[in-house]
Amino acid sequence: MDNYIVSARKYRPSTFQSVVGQKSLTVTLKNAIQNNKLAHAYLFCGPRGVGKTSCARIFAKTINCLTPTPESEACNACESCTAFNEQRSYNIHELDAASNNSVEDIRSLIEQVRIPPPIGRYKVFIIDEVHMLSSAAFNAFLKTLEEPPRHALFILATTEKHKVIPTILSRCQIYDFSRITIADIVDHLQYVAQGEGATAEPEALNIIAQKADGGMRDALSIFDQVMSFTNGNITYQAVINNLNVLDYEYYFRLTEAVLEGNARASMLLLNEILSSGFEGQHIISGLASHFRDLLVCKDAATLVLFEVGASIRERYIAIAKQCSDAFLFKAISLANDCDLNYKTSRNKRLLLELTLIRLCQLCRPADATAEEDKKKTLIEPVGTATATPASVPPSAAHTPVAAPRPAAPAKPPVRPTSTSLKDLAGEKPPDPQSNPAQATAATPNLPFTAEALLTHWKSYAETLKAKIHLKNAMQSCKPVLQENDYFEAAVLNPGQQDELANNASDILAFLRRELKNTNIQMRVRVTAETAGKLPVTSAEKYEYLININPLLKQLREEFSLSTD
Ligand SMILES: [Zn+2]
């Protein structure tokens, strides 16, 4: 225990200039000193550890300095300054109202107020956590605060301004201290690290700053802790390991899986994170923040709201470019709702998984799912094969559904890319097979109803004489119209799936002709036999979760999410 001094003390600011993150406030205080316009009572409000007491001490020292600098800073050399810096000045009295809040405490302070300072001009009384004073103590103090001697100056500090009675508030000049920004904290930590001869990765300091939540004192005490176990080599990895912080690498990987619409990958990642000991709520609130950070990265105007370290800013910006605003809005909402429902949920893991699945459903770009879809997506119109998955409602290909959708399905959430189906359909060369003589390329594709689709589906099935298996397959399922002239047929087994697949071109040619629309696309899926099984599909999981937490129903309705 030799001469070790904690950084919060060692690097305590000694001038207004060196106060971190409260620029406008310290400038105002300096101006007041310069213009000799001192009030006799100040109230410093703000969160803990943002510099209220430090500023109060600097203020007390500066107004007592015998030879202040032209910038109205304390000289830190005169007799008064030296006494302040060595903590032996008689011009400053501090009372911590959190532990000394009785009438007696205030009375002994008032005794001190009467006596003029031995040197310097002002006796400064700092009352910390002033809202903790008992009401009797408040009343005893009020008269002194109203008519103090000329040499007395009060600085009251509080983290809870609303608890300070109005009669006190009205007698004080009020200064609101703000949380210190991450960037300011990082800068200061870098400075402290240099002073300590330590090396520090900016990302590591960034994590410390985030953890400190805007308080410099906390940041410095975390810094000390990190210093001691890294021996002055402060790396990102060491910091996240020791502070039990979730590596943002995981969030990047989750985002990647979500953008690919890869629900399975996202669930595996979740498993990996959970098994390394992180709390589910922590994961999901972090993910919500991650999406929020991506959102503010999308625009130069909002980039100021981005508080993650500059060193990984480029990476955020690059990922943000892949996300549409609409996707990010929904993603933040989904993650946030999961966060809100997490505590009340009885199957927390499932809630997390469901949220990830929902997130994945927001995105279904082409490549990631093409392989999986191959078996299920049997028919693509010529020229649109690679584009189709993006146009498919998000849930369709991955998970077989228990029951066919209603005829008017919920609108699929968000299409993440700027590629719109309309454009793709426009580029599609006309399919000669489905364009018989009367339907020339100039003929516009007509919209059609779910009923019309069903009618023609049935009538085609009726025409089948020899193909009895195909006929059965078609009659046992009902085509469900999705958006953009795309429909889905959910069959009972892989045999039926093959039947429809092998005859898809004929079926589609017929439907396109009858419905006068060359854009019609079909997807065939096998429905799950679900009775008595654990929830597997998201629809089943949804039903299961509704039983546990009925709020989910509201969530689904509010976002017009589909249940499959
Ligand atoms: Zn001085």
Side-chain angles (χ1 to χ4, degrees), residues 50 85 94 217 233 265 311 315 339 371 483 495 519 545 554 563:
V50 297
N85 289 343
E94 293 188 36
R217 190 168 55 221
N233 180 21
S311 51
R315 190 160 172 205
D339 193 10
E371 193 59 32
E483 64 169 17
N519 275 341
L545 282 172
Q554 197 188 334
T563 57

Side-chain angles (χ1 to χ4, degrees), residues 65-67 74-78 81:
C65 177
L66 304 174
T67 54
C75 71
N76 281 313
C78 70
C81 284

